[in-house]
Amino acid sequence: AYKDALDSLIERELILEEYEEREGQIPPQAVEDHMSQVLAERFNNDRSQLLKALQLEHLSYDEWRKQIEDQLIISVMRREAVIDKVSLSPNDARKVYEENIDRYRTPAQVKLRMITVGKGESEAEQAEQTERIKAARARLESGEAFAAVARDVSEGRHKDDGGDWGWLPSSDLRTELAKLVDQLEIGRVSRIVAAGDNYYLLLVEDRRDETVVALSEVRDELELGLRREEIERIQNEWTQRLRKKHFVQVY
């Protein structure tokens, strides 16, 4: 933070020094107009409030006026050396968009419910858990609601939500489940799937196709980002030129 503040102060002085070398001059009326604007925006046109604020900052009115003038000089110099030199091609935004298309892509998703039952460790547990998942499948075949069976049987972390995993890409699931989900019809309960240490029953409640945000929707955002990058680049180059041109000594 100290270095950033110091660099900012050095840059400010370099710009003012460059301005003096050019023998530039800000019209007095421009300074007065800006002072009036500050007085209106910050002090509600109350000169006594301004003078109190200056007193707290140990500034005289003339010193404050000089600060305002310097701010205008820096603004004019930056606009001339940086802002006015920013040039973007109409295709720049498209290029960034196409290079980062995955950022604007939402993959196909499924709304999924899942019942999870561990396989068990001992033979007795394994037999019990196998019957447990089969019984759950039978209850679903008889017409019982998937959410109700999930709350009663599932051992997964979404048990209390009726096995509701919400919307997600099937690629977020382990391979065995993803393949089944991609093939499963909406509203149909899957067969029992054994994967890893668990048995699973799956229900796809809905599907969403892949979507891509159109360039027209993000063009303004992209162009703003490109403009900021270009301003920063030109600003840095300008500052480096000023540092090479003028002698800088930091105490």
Side-chain angles (χ1 to χ4, degrees):
Y2 175 84
K3 184 179 183 302
D4 288 344
L6 180 61
D7 287 343
S8 179
L9 289 171
I10 292 173
E11 180 182 315
R12 179 178 182 276
E13 294 304 320
L14 286 170
I15 295 172
L16 293 174
E17 182 71 19
E18 181 74 5
Y19 186 78
E20 286 185 16
E21 280 197 7
R22 295 185 183 184
E23 298 182 351
Q25 186 175 4
I26 293 290
Q29 187 58 50
V31 180
E32 294 295 330
D33 290 345
H34 195 64
M35 291 169 68
S36 297
Q37 183 181 349
V38 173
L39 182 63
E41 293 178 353
R42 293 181 54 189
F43 302 101
N44 198 28
N45 280 323
D46 188 336
R47 189 180 178 84
S48 64
Q49 288 187 31
L50 167 63
L51 295 176
K52 287 179 182 179
L54 294 179
Q55 187 177 12
L56 290 173
E57 296 181 21
H58 305 289
L59 285 175
S60 69
Y61 186 82
D62 288 341
E63 287 172 331
W64 178 65
R65 188 186 190 286
K66 184 63 169 63
Q67 285 187 355
I68 294 295
E69 184 178 6
D70 287 349
Q71 289 172 7
L72 286 174
I73 289 171
I74 292 169
S75 177
V76 168
M77 292 288 284
R78 279 186 171 144
R79 183 174 66 248
E80 177 186 328
V82 179
I83 305 301
D84 291 347
K85 292 186 176 179
V86 174
S87 177
L88 297 177
S89 162
N91 290 324
D92 288 344
R94 177 176 295 279
K95 181 179 178 182
V96 173
Y97 173 79
E98 292 175 351
E99 289 176 350
N100 298 274
I101 190 65
D102 287 342
R103 183 186 305 171
Y104 306 104
R105 189 193 312 276
T106 300
Q109 295 180 318
V110 293
K111 192 172 188 306
L112 184 67
R113 287 187 185 269
M114 187 184 306
I115 293 173
T116 306
V117 173
K119 292 181 178 179
E121 297 182 3
S122 66
E123 289 187 8
E125 286 180 345
Q126 291 174 4
E128 180 181 345
Q129 292 297 82
T130 299
E131 291 304 315
R132 181 183 178 89
I133 194 68
K134 286 181 178 180
R137 183 71 174 79
R139 289 170 62 181
L140 294 171
E141 287 181 342
S142 69
E144 198 167 341
F146 195 99
V149 177
R151 291 189 186 95
D152 186 33
V153 174
S154 184
E155 299 169 357
R157 64 177 183 271
H158 295 290
K159 170 180 178 175
D160 293 339
D161 299 322
D164 187 3
W165 281 64
W167 288 97
L168 76 166
S170 61
S171 57
D172 284 0
L173 302 170
R174 59 187 304 155
T175 304
E176 305 95 312
L177 302 183
K179 289 181 179 180
L180 181 59
V181 164
D182 288 341
Q183 300 171 358
L184 200 60
E185 295 180 13
I186 294 175
R188 184 180 295 277
V189 177
S190 73
R191 57 179 172 79
I192 297 171
V193 183
D197 297 328
N198 300 305
Y199 294 114
Y200 298 92
L201 287 169
L202 310 170
L203 172 67
V204 173
E205 294 185 319
D206 204 352
R207 295 184 184 276
R208 289 175 180 163
D209 293 333
E210 177 183 276
T211 59
V212 179
V213 178
L215 172 60
S216 59
E217 296 181 42
V218 295
R219 180 183 289 278
D220 289 347
E221 174 190 339
L222 290 173
E223 290 181 345
L224 180 60
L226 288 168
R227 182 172 178 80
R228 285 173 178 165
E229 290 176 4
E230 187 68 359
I231 287 174
E232 183 177 358
R233 183 188 67 79
I234 297 173
Q235 173 80 33
N236 289 338
E237 291 179 352
W238 181 45
T239 301
Q240 290 304 313
R241 288 197 301 272
L242 292 178
R243 281 179 175 268
K244 290 179 180 179
K245 181 177 179 181
H246 300 281
F247 175 71
V248 177
Q249 182 174 355
V250 180
Y251 295 92

